């Protein structure tokens, strides 16, 4: 484990690295890495005379940050703000907390919606006889005009 980076073997790597190596080290595919670069989430990356990208340790740290934020479910707009705040040593933790609180609120809403769907599916499964007859409350329900799961499951 490298003491400076917290990642196994980072000190043993010869920097800069190619896009494939940066992708492997960060857990992001080369395609997504290029996408994040075009979105401006990553500073412009130097290139060799042969036009190959060369990623620094700092670039890989940023990519790991992005990967972790994606794993936490943050959207690209929030990640863009978070990366900017992460690089800004004069940031306000209140700004970070505001973004995280908004995300937490959105997660709570999504969880409630999923729980409502789960309740509805449970009710429909209970009503379905699951026999050889063609009658099926699940298909009947799916054939009805759309309504919200929250309203339906109450």
């Amino acid at each position: 484990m490298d003491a400076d980076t917290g990642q196994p073997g980072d000190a043993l790597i010869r920097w800069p690295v190619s896009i494939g190596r940066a992708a492997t080290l960060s857990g992001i595919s080369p395609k997504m890495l290029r996408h994040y670069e075009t979105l401006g989430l990553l500073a412009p990356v130097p290139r060799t005379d042969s036009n190959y990208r060369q990623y620094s340790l700092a670039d890989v740290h940023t990519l790991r940050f992005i990967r972790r934020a994606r794993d936490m479910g943050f959207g690209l707009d929030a990640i863009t703000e978070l990366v900017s705040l992460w690089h800004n040593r004069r940031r306000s933790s209140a700004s970070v907390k505001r973004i995280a609180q908004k995300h937490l609120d959105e997660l709570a809403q999504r969880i409630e919606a999923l729980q409502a769907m789960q309740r509805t599916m449970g009710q429909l499964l209970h009503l379905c006889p699951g026999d050889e007859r063609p009658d099926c409350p699940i298909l009947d329900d799916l054939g009805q005009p759309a309504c919200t799961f929250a309203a339906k499951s109450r």
Side-chain angles (χ1 to χ4, degrees), residues 81-151:
E81 284 187 78
L82 290 168
V83 167
S84 176
L85 289 166
W86 186 54
H87 288 301
N88 178 0
R89 297 304 301 162
R90 294 202 258 174
R91 69 184 168 255
S92 157
S93 65
S95 299
V96 179
K97 187 172 182 174
R98 175 186 47 78
I99 295 166
Q101 184 64 57
K102 180 179 178 201
H103 182 58
L104 182 63
D105 295 345
E106 290 168 354
L107 285 174
Q109 289 174 347
R110 287 173 29 204
I111 289 168
E112 176 54 39
L114 287 170
Q115 288 174 334
M117 285 186 252
Q118 183 181 36
R119 286 189 298 272
T120 300
M121 281 306 306
Q123 292 166 356
L124 291 171
L125 281 169
H126 177 73
L127 295 173
C128 181
D131 55 20
E132 300 302 318
R133 295 178 30 221
D135 297 331
C136 181
I138 298 169
L139 294 177
D140 294 342
D141 185 82
L142 293 173
Q144 296 299 313
C147 67
T148 64
F149 286 99

Side-chain angles (χ1 to χ4, degrees), residues 7 35 49 60 66-67 87 102 109 112 141 143 145-146 151:
Q7 296 295 320
H35 179 63
D49 292 337
V60 171
I66 293 166
R67 169 67 193 264
H87 288 301
K102 180 179 178 201
Q109 289 174 347
E112 176 54 39
D141 185 82

Side-chain angles (χ1 to χ4, degrees), residues 36-58:
Y36 294 150
E37 191 177 339
T38 60
L39 292 175
L41 290 174
L42 206 56
V45 179
R47 293 176 180 254
T48 66
D49 292 337
S50 304
N51 208 30
Y52 290 104
R53 290 172 172 87
Q54 294 285 282
Y55 295 89
S56 68
L57 177 59

Side-chain angles (χ1 to χ4, degrees), residues 10-80:
D10 278 352
L12 304 175
I13 296 169
R14 297 191 65 178
W15 301 95
V17 296
S18 68
I19 191 170
R21 186 79 170 122
T24 299
L25 291 168
S26 63
I28 293 173
S29 72
K31 181 179 180 179
M32 286 308 295
L33 200 156
R34 285 189 293 273
H35 179 63
Y36 294 150
E37 191 177 339
T38 60
L39 292 175
L41 290 174
L42 206 56
V45 179
R47 293 176 180 254
T48 66
D49 292 337
S50 304
N51 208 30
Y52 290 104
R53 290 172 172 87
Q54 294 285 282
Y55 295 89
S56 68
L57 177 59
D59 295 327
V60 171
H61 280 288
T62 300
L63 291 166
R64 288 174 179 157
F65 181 95
I66 293 166
R67 169 67 193 264
R68 179 73 176 129
R70 292 295 289 174
D71 289 347
M72 295 288 292
F74 283 98
L76 285 175
D77 289 341
I79 291 173
T80 300

